[in-house]
Amino acid sequence: MKQQEITASVVSAAYEVRNEDLMLECRDDQVLVKVERGGICGSDIHYYQHGRAGMSILKQPMILGHEFVGSVAQAPVDSGLKVGQRVAVNPSQPCNHCDFCLNGQQNLCRTMKFMGSAQFFPHVHGGFASYVAAQPSQCVPYSNKADSKVMAFAEPLAVAIHAIHQAGDLVGKKVLVTGSGPIGCLVIAAAFAAGASEIIATDMSERCRALALEMGASLSVSPTDETTTRQWLENGGYFDVCFEASGAPAAIASTVGFTRPKGRIVQLGMGAASVDFPLMPLLVKEIQLTGSFRFINEFAIAVSWLESGRINPLPLLSAIFPQEEVVKALEMASDKSQAAKVQVTFN
């Protein structure tokens, strides 16, 4: 057991985030990772603003962050990892014993310990710290030549790639992405990489629509542009696949009309608790509606795609702050009028 002094960005209640000096314990079978940088996710913002993310409510102080990369400071001899090796850390810690895990569906594990999450008590600390302890299986190495600003997008890109896998073969398909925030834009990039012939995006924000075009959309429009959206309703629907990434009730309901008969809707936006949903048209058109939650082996795929340059996420990077200014980083990330993805660097 190794003890390591760390500086961690800890949330204890709404609008109560501070950097604290703590002692980290790293077991002999764990990897000690020196964190280089991390991206702020929507759940981090919810913990900062509300002291909760959905049904996960803070009951004790917790280290934020689940999108982060670093380098190996110490590793078990038989791990295959070397000191100094750069790694992206998969925040998923499934039990690997339940039926879901044994069937290769680890993202559905009912006892999943996800880093930076208050779902369980004690909470699972995240990666916004100078050092973290992780299992060797969580550490995915990448080249020293790769840019850490790029590689810090591995976790959200994994979410997008999993959604692509939920949609099936996209080669030659017409795709709609509703909601062009960071996840929606990464879905656009992943759909483009997966061979979609046409990708159209919607968002209320002009800034987000511009980012959608940079990430590979051929057209980006406001959902209030009825002249354009009305055309998508003709002949029973225009799109083969719709990815709903906003979570807005109106957007969720709209996808049924926009999707052609026998098409597919992939729901990954999580904003709405309940929706007035057009069930009858869904049935009559035999549209497949599927959920998409987190990722499985897509994390390693995301690392590979980013490392090789298959996807460039940097148009989404709005700002970078040092850990000392983590509250400023959270404030900027909370302002969707000016920020898509904000990163924090760690010394």
Side-chain angles (χ1 to χ4, degrees):
M1 178 80 73
K2 176 182 175 60
Q3 290 195 328
Q4 174 70 48
E5 293 182 355
I6 67 171
T7 300
S9 300
V10 178
V11 58
S12 53
Y15 294 104
E16 291 188 16
V17 172
R18 60 178 59 87
N19 291 317
E20 299 181 9
D21 293 329
L22 304 172
M23 191 65 69
L24 172 71
E25 292 188 347
C26 182
R27 301 192 310 269
D28 293 340
D29 63 342
Q30 290 181 307
V31 181
L32 183 65
V33 177
K34 186 178 188 299
V35 180
E36 183 175 349
R37 71 173 63 228
I40 294 176
C41 176
S43 64
D44 299 315
I45 296 171
H46 284 300
Y47 286 125
Y48 171 62
Q49 291 184 329
H50 310 295
R52 64 186 296 167
M55 299 302 294
S56 300
I57 303 171
L58 285 173
K59 298 180 178 66
Q60 64 181 163
M62 181 185 76
I63 301 173
L64 288 168
H66 59 262
E67 304 176 8
F68 63 100
V69 297
S71 59
V72 175
Q74 176 182 305
V77 175
D78 59 352
S79 67
L81 299 169
K82 299 179 181 178
V83 172
Q85 193 168 27
R86 300 173 78 196
V87 293
V89 180
N90 184 338
S92 303
Q93 301 175 69
C95 75
N96 289 321
H97 299 297
C98 68
D99 288 343
F100 291 114
C101 287
L102 295 176
N103 288 326
Q105 300 167 329
Q106 290 89 342
N107 62 319
L108 303 180
C109 176
R110 299 297 88 189
T111 57
M112 166 75 76
K113 301 297 190 295
F114 200 81
M115 298 183 73
S117 170
Q119 179 180 1
F120 295 103
F121 185 86
H123 303 331
V124 183
H125 289 305
F128 281 9
S130 47
Y131 289 86
V132 300
Q135 296 300 319
S137 60
Q138 293 178 259
C139 301
V140 181
Y142 65 86
S143 169
N144 287 334
K145 296 179 181 179
D147 190 336
S148 64
K149 292 195 297 292
V150 171
M151 302 310 298
F153 279 86
E155 195 275 344
L157 179 58
V159 172
I161 297 174
H162 183 69
I164 296 301
H165 286 166
Q166 292 292 85
D169 184 8
L170 289 184
V171 174
K173 299 291 179 64
K174 294 179 289 188
V175 169
L176 174 68
V177 179
T178 56
S180 301
I183 293 297
C185 281
L186 289 170
V187 168
I188 291 168
F192 185 82
S197 63
E198 181 181 9
I199 306 170
I200 295 178
T202 65
D203 201 281
M204 296 294 290
S205 163
E206 183 178 352
R207 181 187 61 80
C208 290
R209 294 197 298 272
L211 285 174
L213 294 174
E214 286 194 69
M215 296 301 291
S218 54
L219 177 67
S220 182
V221 302
S222 169
T224 62
D225 180 0
E226 294 185 6
T227 301
T228 301
T229 59
R230 192 182 300 115
Q231 299 174 37
W232 303 341
L233 300 171
E234 297 175 359
N235 299 315
Y238 181 76
F239 297 98
D240 299 296
V241 179
C242 288
F243 294 95
E244 205 304 293
S246 73
I252 295 171
S254 72
T255 57
V256 176
F258 298 150
T259 306
R260 67 166 181 80
K262 286 291 187 181
R264 180 171 293 191
I265 299 169
V266 179
Q267 181 64 43
L268 63 160
M270 300 182 69
S274 61
V275 179
D276 184 6
F277 190 76
L279 182 60
M280 188 61 71
L282 180 88
L283 299 179
V284 170
K285 294 164 68 175
E286 293 194 344
I287 292 171
Q288 297 182 51
L289 172 63
T290 183
S292 184
F293 184 61
R294 290 178 179 163
F295 46 85
I296 311 172
N297 62 334
E298 290 90 356
F299 189 88
I301 296 171
V303 171
S304 175
W305 284 17
L306 292 168
E307 184 181 33
S308 67
R310 183 170 182 174
I311 284 182
N312 174 24
L314 291 184
L316 302 176
L317 182 56
S318 304
I320 302 171
F321 291 84
Q323 185 184 16
E324 292 78 12
E325 298 179 7
V326 66
V327 173
K328 289 183 179 179
L330 286 162
E331 285 288 343
M332 182 170 185
S334 302
D335 185 355
K336 298 307 179 184
S337 69
Q338 64 172 332
K341 181 63 70 175
V342 174
Q343 292 182 354
V344 180
T345 57
F346 300 85
N347 293 323

